[in-house]
Amino acid sequence: MSVIGIDLGTTNSLCAVWRNDSVEIIPNRLGHKMTPSVVHINKNNQLSVGQVAKEQLITQSSQTVAAFKRLMGTRHTIRIGKKEMSAIELSSLVLKSLKEDAETYLQESVTRAVISVPAYFNDNQRNATKLAAELAGLTVERLINEPTAAAVAHGVHKKEDGIFLILDLGGGTFDVSILEFFDGVMEVHASAGDNFLGGEDFVDALVDMFLSEQEIKKSDLSPFELHDLHMKMEQAKRTFNHEKEIPLSFTYKDVTIENKLSYEWFMKAITPILMRIKSPITQALSDSNLSLTDIDDIILVGGATKLEPFRRTIAQLLKRIPNTNINPDEVVVHGAAIQAGLINRDQALDDVVLTDVCPFTLGTEINNPNGGERAGGHFLPIIERNTTVPVSIVRTLESAYDNQTELLVNVYQGENRLVDKNIYLGTLSVKVPKGPAGKEKIDVRYSYDMNGILEVDVTVLSTEKKSNLLIENSPGHLSDIELEKIRKQLEKLKFHPRDDEINRAILARGERLYEQNLGELREYIAEVLAKFDNIVDRQNPQEIKKAQIQINEIFDSLEKGSW
Amino acid sequence: MDIWSILDLKQTTDLKVIKSAYAKKLKITRPDDKPEEFQILHSAYKQALHWAKISRKAPESQLDWETGVETITQVPVEEYIDSSSTEELNPSQEIMQNENPLIENIEQESLVDPLAQVKSDLVSLLANKERRNNPLEWQFITHNPDLLDWQVADQLSAFIVPKLVQKTMETRRSGRHKRLRSKVNIRVLVSTPILEILNQVFEWSHHPQNIYHVLEQSSAEYFLTTLSSFEHSNVEGTIGIKGGAKIIEKANVLSDTQVILRKNVQFGNDVYRLLAFFVDQFLVSYLTAFILGTEFLKKKLSINLNGDKFLLIIILVTVIYSWLMECSRHQATIGMKLFRLKVYSKKGTRISYWQGLLRNVLFGASIVGNFVIALINYMLTHHRYLHDRLSGTYVLNYADIKRKKAFS
């Protein structure tokens, strides 16, 4: 039985499998490699995921949602129509759709997967990802860090020794990893990142800059106007890779603003975002005790690295031209599929071993004996960031005051010396016999596994009682009953039949184009759509196929503006 | 076992030999299968590498130099770029190459100080108190593509930091003997939000050494402490989510009790609270009886006290007494103070007078309720009694709050 590799991205998701000594990317129901991570639920509880949903982002924005990966592991939920859903549930819908595609492609049932996550995802976010997979009926064999996956893909294909700096700028996250290859060993030296820096932020920066220059408040825009502007800026972002000036027309409250965006304007808007790429790079280099001259090659991963100013900034910062020989969109899923092959112990990968690191510091809250009034709330690091995993470290701690009967081990992740500024992961409480301060000792063991999931064990030395941490109150944690409830709710949502997926994608796209255009073009689109509806109704497969190709060509040229 | 025998190797400074020995061992000690053995192997490998690197640097190991030099795993930079660019040039790489001279241009320009304009803008901005605390005014720095270059940013950072920190010496006569005392005042000119914005550009908190270069010790320390006050804050963003009717932030999944528990504070336990109650009751009834018992009041009020009425009066006095005491800065009645108990609101602060009134009226009612309520209270978790729960207050062990945390 195959294990599939999944790249569950902020903007797009992909799925691949290791077969016949190579990676095969599994096409979705529309025949595309990339499935947009967008979910749409219509009024009849019918569900669409991917391209069809993405087309409806503008036309039915209140019932469609995208970029929800950013809410993974947080307490936020999103209202879609009448339903309220968490990022976990939404992600599980995307995973379910990928799973179905894989099953159709492989002609067998698929229940095991390797899923890639940003290296800088914390414990809550990783658990949320695992939960999403569980809800979709997939067992997670491994959570692999995205830059690591990219490096694996690069390493397995190139078989070149050396130290590589991997920069992964996805839709929503930025990860930096330093990886060394030698004799079939892939060793990650350090990972660092920014969970809120990605391709989407560049577009947001353009939208914000444009609105502030036009003195329009973002909240005054209707959802349609906002999405329209967003799409136009997204387009502009791509066009600036080869143009110096772009005309832009934007209709706000029936007034059309005609504007020309210059390259200088573009650079000015995105500079604050570009500035944020420096610090994770410096951190990764210093954590791994390497300097820029030790790096043999720079590998760019993630769709957003196609952005020309990003590449330029990297070249400027690192005084080096990054390697662009691999397709940044597909490299992560390649790596995930290779890892899946490794787990299946595929012969061709027998001589490859991968070691990864824990990208952040994990520790507990302690009382500082010299702290005086502010004794509490101090952070004691137990697993330091960029320690090679799997790792298991014990620290012995003792009671702080006389006759203490309960010790609380609060688990935190972060780099600050005070726990308040770190991320809270959970609490473990142990009972101890009464005694003078310092008499009772406990062993706190932190184990961080290959999936990046933390386990905390506490042993009271005097009673030898052991407890194990169940992170109960962390955001995103669900009890079995709650899980079952969500599973039932999700089952009520029905995917549209696969067959008419292509037709629906075309219709959704047509409707969006209809709304975006005016006048004659609009009438023309309506005419084309009506014709297509007619053909679909006649149910002649050959005729439909022909019409599909034709209408897509028409829409393509419409969108390129060459009409 | 020493590191060399773990690696199955003779002591060597040859990095390549160490690496291949480690690789060989690693294939049979996969981290997935044998996590503990892997950890031992890995740390031995790291130590061996470290040792080898140090011994290489030591002057006496001339011999090692001769054998080890070629084995450094690095490929010379220029060579590598050349080889990769001649292999296959895809379009985007070509673009990058064409723009190389452009990058150099930027560097050359920086010699002529492209920052002159920025610097003069900066000086005038800092001179105006209102303007300098307006984030929009700082756009000429935050949106300046020139600063994407590390060197340029560092250069400007060295210019800006001394201007942000103001140090004034204040001398005055004070104290009983009117001795001359001098006090040094250090302050940062801009507000915290601005500092946060600038820190994103110049990354001071990542490179504190840059601050020490341009400021003297005390100012530098002050500056870095100010910075660390907002460093690494937990950002949870809803930014960038598209679509959906609304994004809802679910209330904290932790109940208030759990929040207090997380702070490692202990609730006042039953025994102490009961003892405190007795102490208070004793005081109150003794005093009440004493005052009511005086001849003067007996005549004035001309009331005949029977047992029930007396009990009611005592309860009334108790309620008022505990209400005032618990809302005072002591946050405790005399009895509670003896047993180190204090009353706190949900936020961990002193309770308001209204809250205190509600709490104590309920408390009075539960005294009337007698055994039944006492029994219920006894069975409630965390020693949170009915009147604590209904009024949203907590009675906590005061000693724990002072020295609260669990271990050192």
Side-chain angles (χ1 to χ4, degrees):
Chain A
M1 211 168 64
S2 316
V3 184
I4 55 169
I6 294 176
D7 170 8
L8 184 62
T10 311
T11 11
N12 291 301
S13 296
L14 293 95
C15 167
V17 67
W18 177 267
R19 235 177 21 172
N20 309 327
D21 297 351
S22 73
V23 173
E24 288 173 34
I25 295 187
I26 296 171
N28 66 13
R29 50 204 77 184
L30 299 177
H32 303 163
K33 284 179 178 175
M34 289 203 270
T35 305
S37 307
V38 187
V39 172
H40 170 80
I41 297 172
N42 75 6
K43 293 195 172 82
N44 306 325
N45 268 346
Q46 271 194 318
L47 178 79
S48 14
V49 172
Q51 195 59 41
V52 180
K54 194 181 173 184
E55 297 291 2
Q56 275 151 325
L57 203 53
I58 282 193
T59 49
Q60 298 180 42
S61 71
S62 68
Q63 282 171 315
T64 316
V65 58
F68 41 80
K69 186 180 175 184
R70 294 196 147 191
L71 294 183
M72 282 299 250
T74 69
R75 289 188 297 272
H76 296 86
T77 57
I78 305 163
R79 181 167 296 153
I80 312 162
K82 279 177 192 151
K83 279 203 148 38
E84 206 181 292
M85 295 181 95
S86 67
I88 297 177
E89 292 164 76
L90 292 164
S91 303
S92 87
L93 294 173
V94 174
L95 288 170
K96 212 178 213 168
S97 151
L98 293 174
K99 182 186 168 211
E100 276 181 20
D101 292 335
E103 281 171 346
T104 318
Y105 181 80
L106 297 170
Q107 296 293 329
E108 61 177 16
S109 84
V110 174
T111 54
R112 296 156 73 204
V114 170
I115 300 179
S116 69
V117 290
Y120 222 57
F121 249 25
N122 67 34
D123 204 64
N124 291 337
Q125 291 165 308
R126 282 166 201 266
N127 278 318
T129 309
K130 269 192 128 174
L131 213 61
E134 244 172 72
L135 285 173
L138 287 167
T139 316
V140 178
E141 291 293 330
R142 177 68 46 88
L143 292 175
I144 186 171
N145 291 335
E146 281 164 12
T148 311
V152 168
H154 185 261
V156 166
H157 289 305
K158 281 239 165 175
K159 295 203 170 22
E160 233 170 49
D161 286 0
I163 299 179
F164 301 89
L165 175 70
I166 297 130
L167 304 173
D168 177 359
L169 186 68
T173 51
F174 178 52
D175 278 327
V176 178
S177 279
I178 295 175
L179 189 123
E180 184 178 359
F181 286 112
F182 55 91
D183 301 347
V185 175
M186 294 185 253
E187 178 168 11
V188 178
H189 283 290
S191 285
D194 187 332
N195 270 348
F196 293 96
L197 171 61
E200 305 282 333
D201 293 293
F202 288 94
V203 184
D204 284 343
L206 294 179
V207 170
D208 288 345
M209 181 96 156
F210 178 79
L211 290 178
S212 81
E213 274 177 2
Q214 301 295 332
E215 292 178 355
I216 300 170
K217 270 193 202 144
K218 207 173 189 173
S219 50
D220 290 348
L221 290 177
S222 70
F224 175 74
E225 285 163 340
L226 187 60
H227 283 302
D228 185 35
L229 185 61
H230 216 279
M231 288 274 285
K232 281 180 175 148
M233 286 304 176
E234 173 88 45
Q235 191 59 41
K237 183 184 87 174
R238 284 161 209 252
T239 319
F240 272 122
N241 281 345
H242 44 84
E243 303 271 335
K244 290 280 165 210
E245 202 172 60
I246 295 171
L248 178 99
S249 75
F250 172 62
T251 312
Y252 170 62
K253 293 204 171 134
D254 298 329
V255 184
T256 305
I257 304 163
E258 294 284 347
N259 210 331
K260 269 199 176 123
L261 306 177
S262 69
Y263 189 76
E264 284 70 39
W265 179 88
F266 174 60
M267 276 309 286
K268 198 180 160 204
I270 63 169
T271 296
I273 315 274
L274 288 173
M275 278 177 178
R276 286 162 57 195
I277 63 183
K278 280 194 287 186
S279 90
I281 299 177
T282 6
Q283 198 198 311
L285 282 169
S286 75
D287 280 359
S288 54
N289 282 323
L290 292 168
S291 68
L292 269 179
T293 49
D294 295 325
I295 304 293
D296 293 316
D297 203 356
I298 298 161
I299 303 169
L300 296 186
V301 182
T305 56
K306 285 186 237 161
L307 199 65
E308 192 265 343
F310 174 81
R311 294 194 167 185
R312 211 141 82 101
T313 312
I314 292 299
Q316 210 171 330
L317 282 177
L318 307 177
K319 310 279 179 260
R320 193 95 62 97
I321 292 144
N323 182 324
T324 49
N325 291 331
I326 42 175
N327 183 341
D329 284 323
E330 291 168 12
V331 63
V332 170
V333 80
H334 265 262
I338 292 168
Q339 178 68 58
L342 272 171
I343 281 166
N344 254 4
R345 286 291 152 86
D346 197 286
Q347 293 270 305
L349 295 167
D350 220 17
D351 60 338
V352 180
V353 186
L354 168 71
T355 66
D356 209 338
V357 294
C358 160
F360 29 71
T361 305
L362 294 159
T364 187
E365 181 180 10
I366 54 155
N367 211 6
N368 187 341
N370 310 319
E373 276 286 297
R374 297 166 70 189
H378 288 263
F379 182 62
L380 173 80
I382 294 182
I383 297 177
E384 297 270 10
R385 69 161 185 262
N386 291 321
T387 309
T388 303
V389 296
V391 68
S392 183
I393 295 173
V394 187
R395 289 293 291 261
T396 306
L397 302 168
E398 56 193 33
S399 56
Y401 58 91
D402 297 346
N403 295 329
Q404 190 168 357
T405 53
E406 190 182 26
L407 294 181
L408 290 173
V409 181
N410 291 330
V411 184
Y412 285 89
Q413 170 209 312
E415 312 301 329
N416 202 284
R417 69 189 177 87
L418 298 176
V419 291
D420 283 355
K421 288 187 179 150
N422 293 328
I423 296 166
Y424 170 70
L425 298 177
T427 295
L428 187 68
S429 137
V430 286
K431 293 256 183 285
V432 291
K434 276 189 183 180
K439 187 187 164 242
E440 282 305 322
K441 290 189 170 45
I442 56 169
D443 269 350
V444 178
R445 176 182 287 277
Y446 275 41
S447 311
Y448 196 85
D449 70 6
M450 296 282 282
N451 292 320
I453 298 216
L454 175 73
E455 205 177 328
V456 179
D457 294 286
V458 177
T459 315
V460 181
L461 294 185
S462 60
T463 59
E464 291 191 359
K465 220 180 134 190
K466 287 184 170 49
S467 342
N468 183 283
L469 180 63
L470 237 159
I471 296 180
E472 274 177 346
N473 297 318
S474 69
H477 176 84
L478 299 169
S479 68
D480 287 347
I481 302 162
E482 284 171 304
L483 259 177
E484 202 43 51
K485 214 170 111 193
I486 292 174
R487 200 170 280 142
K488 283 218 175 95
Q489 270 175 359
L490 291 182
E491 268 165 18
K492 277 188 211 152
L493 294 170
K494 288 281 170 275
F495 277 100
H496 278 281
R498 285 180 71 87
D499 300 341
D500 55 60
E501 185 85 4
I502 299 176
N503 298 339
R504 294 199 317 114
I506 288 169
L507 288 175
R509 187 178 177 194
E511 270 158 33
R512 169 175 62 81
L513 286 170
Y514 180 84
E515 288 201 21
Q516 279 177 323
N517 289 293
L518 291 169
E520 274 177 46
L521 265 182
R522 222 175 190 191
E523 278 167 38
Y524 175 72
I525 294 165
E527 205 177 297
V528 170
L529 281 176
K531 236 188 219 165
F532 184 70
D533 263 342
N534 235 329
I535 294 168
V536 173
D537 285 347
R538 267 181 274 165
Q539 294 188 332
N540 178 346
Q542 270 179 334
E543 200 183 359
I544 292 174
K545 203 154 251 175
K546 216 168 123 193
Q548 282 169 348
I549 298 166
Q550 264 179 355
I551 200 165
N552 267 328
E553 274 168 8
I554 295 172
F555 287 160
D556 281 346
S557 53
L558 261 174
E559 265 182 309
K560 279 184 197 134
S562 58
W563 202 259
Chain B
M1 259 209 297
D2 77 312
I3 54 171
W4 303 105
S5 51
I6 292 170
L7 288 167
D8 243 343
L9 194 68
K10 272 189 198 141
Q11 192 166 354
T12 173
T13 53
D14 190 334
L15 296 180
K16 204 166 190 174
V17 172
I18 297 176
K19 282 183 179 174
S20 69
Y22 167 69
K24 214 188 262 171
K25 277 287 216 177
L26 187 64
K27 306 263 161 74
I28 48 168
T29 325
R30 288 181 177 256
D32 325 45
D33 305 336
K34 301 172 182 166
E36 277 116 43
E37 284 160 59
F38 162 71
Q39 208 39 250
I40 295 166
L41 175 70
H42 186 260
S43 77
Y45 164 63
K46 283 276 157 183
Q47 283 174 45
L49 278 187
H50 186 69
W51 182 86
K53 274 180 193 157
I54 287 178
S55 342
R56 275 158 164 275
K57 276 180 196 153
E60 58 264 42
S61 55
Q62 283 294 332
L63 248 173
D64 297 338
W65 272 109
E66 280 171 29
T67 54
V69 149
E70 312 82 9
T71 62
I72 309 176
T73 48
Q74 297 160 14
V75 183
V77 175
E78 297 86 341
E79 208 177 275
Y80 192 77
I81 290 177
D82 279 345
S83 66
S84 73
S85 52
T86 45
E87 268 172 33
E88 38 178 328
L89 265 181
N90 67 16
S92 56
Q93 218 168 1
E94 241 162 9
I95 294 170
M96 298 301 304
Q97 299 243 307
N98 291 342
E99 270 165 9
N100 239 4
L102 210 145
I103 295 166
E104 278 162 28
N105 273 345
I106 294 173
E107 273 168 38
Q108 275 166 8
E109 275 167 28
S110 72
L111 295 174
V112 212
D113 199 5
L115 294 172
Q117 182 60 37
V118 178
K119 282 179 180 171
S120 72
D121 284 352
L122 187 74
V123 172
S124 67
L125 176 61
L126 282 174
N128 184 322
K129 194 179 172 190
E130 279 209 350
R131 276 184 59 212
R132 74 179 175 228
N133 281 327
N134 178 358
L136 293 176
E137 296 280 357
W138 288 92
Q139 279 194 357
F140 72 100
I141 285 183
T142 54
H143 289 262
N144 189 340
D146 288 345
L147 295 179
L148 288 173
D149 191 310
W150 252 313
Q151 285 156 347
V152 180
D154 282 350
Q155 202 188 332
L156 189 64
S157 160
F159 177 80
I160 191 171
V161 173
K163 297 203 161 33
L164 283 176
V165 184
Q166 214 175 45
K167 195 171 171 182
T168 48
M169 191 86 90
E170 197 184 318
T171 41
R172 61 156 183 232
R173 285 178 193 284
S174 64
R176 224 171 346 145
H177 304 289
K178 292 280 173 208
R179 236 183 272 158
L180 199 63
R181 281 161 199 250
S182 61
K183 204 174 126 200
V184 183
N185 285 326
I186 305 172
R187 69 186 189 108
V188 177
L189 274 182
V190 290
S191 62
T192 323
I194 302 288
L195 209 55
E196 205 169 339
I197 293 170
L198 292 177
N199 189 36
Q200 270 175 13
V201 178
F202 298 112
E203 302 187 306
W204 293 315
S205 43
H206 279 282
H207 307 284
Q209 71 276 15
N210 287 356
I211 304 292
Y212 285 104
H213 283 321
V214 292
L215 288 181
E216 54 180 311
Q217 187 83 12
S218 59
S219 308
E221 269 164 21
Y222 179 80
F223 188 71
L224 290 169
T225 330
T226 320
L227 281 180
S228 68
S229 60
F230 55 76
E231 227 187 315
H232 295 298
S233 50
N234 298 339
V235 260
E236 269 188 8
T238 56
I239 16 146
I241 311 296
K242 278 183 276 179
K246 200 183 170 192
I247 296 173
I248 307 143
E249 183 173 6
K250 282 240 173 122
N252 198 331
V253 282
L254 298 172
S255 69
D256 293 315
T257 320
Q258 282 166 325
V259 169
I260 293 223
L261 271 176
R262 256 181 66 188
K263 291 197 167 136
N264 275 338
V265 168
Q266 293 207 341
F267 291 94
N269 73 25
D270 292 327
V271 181
Y272 285 162
R273 290 192 63 179
L274 202 62
L275 285 172
F277 172 71
F278 284 139
V279 171
D280 287 331
Q281 282 306 298
F282 176 75
L283 283 174
V284 167
S285 31
Y286 189 79
L287 276 174
T288 318
F290 180 75
I291 293 167
L292 290 180
T294 52
E295 286 300 314
F296 169 74
L297 265 182
K298 258 187 194 165
K299 264 187 200 160
K300 191 96 179 169
L301 296 171
S302 66
I303 39 167
N304 196 6
L305 284 169
N306 60 25
D308 275 359
K309 257 187 191 162
F310 183 66
L311 202 71
L312 266 177
I313 288 177
I314 286 188
I315 290 174
L316 196 70
V317 174
T318 312
V319 168
I320 294 169
Y321 155 79
S322 355
W323 172 37
L324 294 176
M325 288 300 281
E326 285 173 2
C327 296
S328 75
R329 72 185 169 83
H330 299 287
Q331 291 172 249
T333 60
I334 295 167
M336 286 163 90
K337 250 199 142 162
L338 273 178
F339 295 97
R340 294 183 162 172
L341 300 170
K342 260 190 182 184
V343 184
Y344 287 90
S345 72
K346 277 184 179 172
K347 287 176 194 146
T349 53
R350 197 206 290 190
I351 56 172
S352 72
Y353 278 92
W354 287 113
Q355 224 176 353
L357 185 64
L358 176 64
R359 177 186 153 76
N360 282 294
V361 167
L362 290 165
F363 173 55
S366 39
I367 301 177
V368 179
N370 223 328
F371 279 116
V372 187
I373 294 195
L375 199 67
I376 295 173
N377 283 343
Y378 178 71
M379 293 194 297
L380 289 171
T381 52
H382 298 310
H383 313 293
R384 280 197 77 202
Y385 300 155
L386 284 174
H387 62 274
D388 297 335
R389 281 167 198 261
L390 291 171
S391 62
T393 53
Y394 294 87
V395 177
L396 304 177
N397 198 319
Y398 150 71
D400 297 348
I401 292 191
K402 228 173 173 184
R403 305 177 291 146
K404 77 184 169 188
K405 289 302 137 58
F407 18 73
S408 51

